[in-house]
Structure formats: structure tokens, C-alpha cells
Amino acid sequence: MSEDTRWLNDVVWDEQGLVPAIAQDAQTGEVLMFAWMNREALELTAVRREAVYWSRSRRKLWHKGEESGHTQRVHEIRMDCDGDVVLLKIEQVGGIACHTGRRSCFFQRHLDGGGWEDVEPVLKDPADIYVKK
Amino acid sequence: MSEDTRWLNDVVWDEQGLVPAIAQDAQTGEVLMFAWMNREALELTAVRREAVYWSRSRRKLWHKGEESGHTQRVHEIRMDCDGDVVLLKIEQVGGIACHTGRRSCFFQRHLDGGGWEDVEPVLKDPADIYVKK
């Protein structure tokens, strides 16, 4: 790739070669999801301006939205003080980041008495998001 | 502890018994920092309503602000769809979350041509934050 990629050397990759990535709505500030990136994922994210993660379970690059259409347009890439966490400011295409059909993955709220409650609506049935072709 | 702690069993702890935790300003939505929690840290966070993390480098509980005074008052604790990430909605006492004296740890912005630029001001000299007693 012709683009200068030395900036990727400033990232402190963990022992698996990964870095945590937080996706935040660029307009509202809402935290939409959390995933992991390897070096190639972060490079592709910067080049395409669309979020590409590393799926630890499937052990492969995961272009977010490749199945659902719910891609993430990247407005900004931030890195934290220690260089070991990345924050993406994004526009969530389709308005749904979560595989459950909710806007954000962080829909479970801790209750004072213990337990968790779901506090965000399902906007679309996952069966309609992940349609077998 | 008398509080029902079964809700902690719903968290999917990693192989080190940790979970990533994102701290977000409850008012502005700004992502302020990222750290890790073990079970005890999350329990203490819920009981005290102040963020307690697990320091992986020092291998001990870290009551955020214990040295700097920049504690984090916890308004809400959220968990993601997979149960393996926690999001705290907090009020940052002193307005400074980062050990560099900046409001947020995510002050480095990726430049289109490569490289990173600092985009947030240092609000207080770290030498004045971490005063030896």
C-alpha cells in the first residue's frame, strides 16, 4: 500500500497483536460497540474510512456490516494516552450497530438491587437483518 | 457483602478474570478513558458508586482518583450484548480523567496523511496533579 503506514507503529499492540477499539456515534456521542483490531484491520479502516475489525472468534478480518449492511463510516480515529486503545468516531449506517437489532450493544443497565435490565428497544428483528441469501 | 452479587455472574470474564471498561461522561457523552476490571473492582464500583479498576501493570485494585483526587462518580453501569464489556456513565471529578492532565485519554487524532496529532489541551500539569506527600 502506498500510504505511509508508520503511524501504525505508534499503536501498542497486545501479545496477540490486537488493540481494543471503541465505536462511538460521531454526532450523539453514544458508545455503540466494542471490538478488536489487528494491524491490518486498523490500516484498512483508515484507508476505506469504514470500520474493519478482527473477529477473535472467527479469526478473520471482519468488515463491519458485510452481512447486515450496517457499515460504519469513520469520521475520526483517536488513540489514547498509552497508545493501546483506539476510538472510532463513526456514522452508523442503518442506525443499528448491535447484532441484536438494537442501536447500541450497551443496552443492559445494572439495577441498584442487582441484576440487569434491557433499556434499549430492538429496532429490527435480527432474522430480518441477517437474511440468508 | 450483603448486596446480592449474582449480577456479577452475568459478566463474561476473560481468561485473566478481567473485563474491559469504558468510562464515558454521563452528560456530554465524551469517552474519557479505558481500563480493566476484575470481579472485585466491578463490585466495589457498584457499591461505592465510584469507579474502581484493576491495574494490570501494578496488579492491584485501583480506585481511580486515589492519588489525583480525580475520582469518577458512577451514574450508570452498562454491559454489552455479549456480556464481555462494561460501560460506565460517570461524572469526572476535577474534569480531568487522563494522567497527562487532559480531560480525556483519547487526545491523539489520526491524520489523513499518516501520523497522530494531539487535539486536546493539557488542563493541569501532571506534576501538580500527582504531588508527592
Side-chain angles (χ1 to χ4, degrees):
Chain A
M1 223 162 274
S2 62
E3 193 192 5
D4 189 334
T5 56
R6 280 175 298 183
W7 63 279
L8 292 161
N9 298 338
D10 294 329
V11 178
V12 179
W13 307 94
D14 73 8
E15 58 278 9
Q16 275 105 47
L18 302 178
V19 72
I22 303 160
Q24 178 184 33
D25 187 294
Q27 294 302 316
T28 66
E30 197 175 0
V31 175
L32 299 178
M33 58 174 276
F34 173 96
W36 294 83
M37 290 183 167
N38 64 3
R39 188 179 169 104
E40 190 180 358
L42 182 52
E43 183 176 0
L44 287 171
T45 296
V47 171
R48 296 186 185 174
R49 312 305 294 173
E50 284 200 344
V52 178
Y53 301 104
W54 173 257
S55 169
R56 295 188 304 171
S57 57
R58 291 179 287 154
R59 301 198 59 74
K60 62 174 210 167
L61 289 172
W62 162 37
H63 179 192
K64 166 72 182 162
E66 61 195 359
E67 288 183 57
S68 63
H70 296 154
T71 52
Q72 298 179 331
R73 290 188 191 126
V74 174
H75 290 212
E76 259 189 50
I77 301 173
R78 295 276 189 115
M79 185 170 68
D80 78 340
C81 48
D82 300 323
D84 60 0
V85 185
V86 164
L87 173 68
L88 304 180
K89 301 201 178 194
I90 60 134
E91 177 192 342
Q92 179 59 61
V93 173
I96 295 172
C98 187
H99 75 288
T100 64
R102 293 176 176 88
R103 175 155 182 72
S104 164
C105 293
F106 294 91
F107 59 82
Q108 300 182 82
R109 183 165 61 188
H110 175 242
L111 295 162
D112 276 346
W116 301 89
E117 63 175 345
D118 292 355
V119 292
E120 298 208 19
V122 173
L123 301 176
K124 193 168 177 181
D125 186 332
D128 296 329
I129 299 176
Y130 301 96
V131 179
K132 290 254 180 1
K133 280 152 192 131
Chain B
M1 222 163 272
S2 61
E3 192 193 5
D4 189 335
T5 57
R6 279 175 298 184
W7 63 279
L8 293 161
N9 298 337
D10 294 329
V11 179
V12 179
W13 307 96
D14 74 7
E15 58 279 8
Q16 275 105 45
L18 302 178
V19 72
I22 303 160
Q24 179 184 33
D25 187 295
Q27 294 303 316
T28 66
E30 198 175 359
V31 176
L32 299 179
M33 58 174 275
F34 172 96
W36 295 83
M37 289 183 168
N38 64 3
R39 187 179 170 106
E40 190 180 358
L42 182 53
E43 183 177 0
L44 286 171
T45 296
V47 172
R48 297 187 186 173
R49 312 304 294 170
E50 284 200 343
V52 178
Y53 301 104
W54 172 257
S55 169
R56 295 188 304 170
S57 56
R58 291 179 287 154
R59 300 198 59 74
K60 61 174 210 168
L61 288 172
W62 163 37
H63 179 191
K64 166 72 182 162
E66 61 196 358
E67 288 182 58
S68 63
H70 297 154
T71 52
Q72 296 179 333
R73 291 188 190 124
V74 174
H75 291 211
E76 258 188 51
I77 300 173
R78 295 277 188 113
M79 185 169 68
D80 78 340
C81 48
D82 299 323
D84 59 0
V85 186
V86 163
L87 172 69
L88 305 180
K89 302 202 177 191
I90 60 135
E91 177 192 342
Q92 179 60 61
V93 174
I96 294 172
C98 186
H99 75 288
T100 65
R102 293 177 176 86
R103 175 154 182 74
S104 164
C105 292
F106 293 91
F107 59 84
Q108 299 182 83
R109 183 165 63 189
H110 176 241
L111 295 162
D112 276 347
W116 301 89
E117 63 175 346
D118 291 356
V119 292
E120 298 208 19
V122 173
L123 302 176
K124 193 170 178 181
D125 186 332
D128 296 329
I129 299 175
Y130 301 96
V131 179
K132 290 254 180 1
K133 278 147 194 141

